[in-house]
Amino acid sequence: MTLLTDLTQRLRPGTALDPALDAALALVQRVGFTSVIYDYTPVPRTHEGVLITPNILEGREVPEDMMRLWRSGFYQLDPVQDAALASAAPFVWSACGRQSRVMETVLCQRHDPVLDYMRDMHFSCGVTVPIHHPGGDLATFTAICVDAKEGFGAQAAELAPAIGILGQTFHDVVQAGFAPETRRSRYMRLSPREVQCLSLCAEGLTAKEIARRLDRSVPTVTLHLNSAGRKLGARNRFQAVARAAHYRLLDLESEGQAA
């Protein structure tokens, strides 16, 4: 029985995240992997380039403390996530052995706490599938082998294309059921009125013109624009609009108009 045998039967449209993870684990276990992890984030990095903790981060057969550690700061130190941003193809990684080329390009001393943890947990080898959306969303699907036998790294490299198909299929199935809130960045929050004012500012309207459009006073519009700018850490309105666009906050106004 191969990795992709009955894939479409196990991962059917409409399958929720938890049963999909169980199905994916059963599939990768057929070929020697022991664990799976999946994450999804609508905006992978802050405007300063720091990884943003994903909206979804779940695994199967991983250490009890792993998800807690990754949600509390280890995610920002994970070289696999840095490599996923730099790659469009599945890649192999190792906690202690030879690395793939994409991993070699990102590894640095900053990643040492995560690598130490992976060695302690005997994460011998893994294959990660980066899934990039046109809008900038990033998901990763990872199959891990704990305490791999000698030579499993070469086998993992041969299996990488099949893991890629599994990971993409998994994501296509589960993301169809994401709630609108899951598809929005949780890193930066603006009020609906702040988003509305910034969106109109992005169209080139002045505060006076925005006030006329919204039937509000100019001081009220200025208050909303200044408040949004402070939250975004922007020096001026141009930078506020650019950062709001980075976090896809202006998309919320478009969604509201469509509704």
Side-chain angles (χ1 to χ4, degrees):
M1 187 174 289
T2 64
L3 172 64
L4 300 181
T5 301
D6 71 0
L7 170 64
T8 56
Q9 294 300 311
R10 286 178 172 266
L11 291 174
R12 297 186 178 189
T15 304
L17 178 61
D18 284 340
L21 281 166
D22 294 336
L25 175 65
L27 289 168
V28 301
Q29 285 177 335
R30 292 176 176 177
V31 290
F33 293 95
T34 59
S35 317
V36 294
I37 296 175
Y38 171 77
D39 65 73
Y40 166 79
T41 178
V43 181
R45 291 187 185 273
T46 70
H47 59 273
E48 296 172 332
V50 179
L51 282 167
I52 295 175
T53 302
N55 289 3
I56 295 176
L57 177 58
E58 299 291 344
R60 288 292 185 271
E61 295 299 320
V62 295
E64 291 184 7
D65 65 343
M66 183 175 181
M67 297 295 96
R68 177 179 56 81
L69 286 170
W70 258 247
R71 292 187 184 106
S72 63
F74 267 40
Y75 185 86
Q76 284 69 31
L77 306 176
D78 190 343
V80 174
Q81 297 303 325
D82 284 331
L85 277 168
S87 176
F91 59 89
V92 180
W93 52 264
S94 171
C96 51
R98 184 176 179 180
Q99 297 289 0
S100 58
R101 182 174 300 177
V102 66
M103 286 291 289
E104 290 177 345
T105 62
V106 302
L107 278 171
C108 64
Q109 190 173 8
R110 177 174 62 85
H111 299 125
D112 285 351
V114 165
L115 292 174
D116 289 343
Y117 177 90
M118 292 165 69
R119 293 186 190 104
D120 290 343
M121 297 297 106
H122 304 283
F123 282 14
S124 308
C125 181
V127 175
T128 292
V129 183
I131 303 160
H132 297 270
H133 282 235
D137 314 44
L138 174 70
T140 65
F141 176 90
T142 298
I144 299 170
C145 185
V146 177
D147 286 325
K149 295 180 180 179
E150 186 176 351
F152 185 79
Q155 180 182 339
E158 293 178 0
L159 288 167
I163 297 290
I165 295 172
L166 170 57
Q168 183 65 64
T169 303
F170 177 96
H171 175 71
D172 288 346
V173 166
V174 300
Q175 67 90 24
F178 287 173
E181 181 63 20
T182 301
R183 300 179 185 275
R184 297 171 184 161
S185 177
R186 298 172 183 169
Y187 181 80
M188 189 67 65
R189 302 280 186 147
L190 298 181
S191 72
R193 188 62 79 183
E194 289 165 351
V195 169
Q196 190 176 37
C197 289
L198 271 183
S199 296
L200 292 171
C201 188
E203 293 179 17
L205 274 65
T206 65
K208 185 176 181 179
E209 291 168 331
I210 295 170
R212 188 180 304 117
R213 175 82 66 89
L214 300 180
D215 194 23
R216 295 290 188 273
S217 69
V218 174
T220 297
V221 168
T222 301
L223 179 68
H224 288 311
L225 289 171
N226 290 344
S227 176
R230 284 194 299 272
K231 291 178 182 178
L232 292 162
R235 294 190 297 271
N236 51 53
R237 289 178 188 173
F238 297 107
Q239 191 175 61
V241 167
R243 291 187 177 180
H246 172 83
Y247 294 111
R248 295 168 61 181
L249 296 172
L250 303 186
D251 295 348
L252 303 181
E253 176 64 11
S254 299
E255 292 172 8
Q257 291 174 354

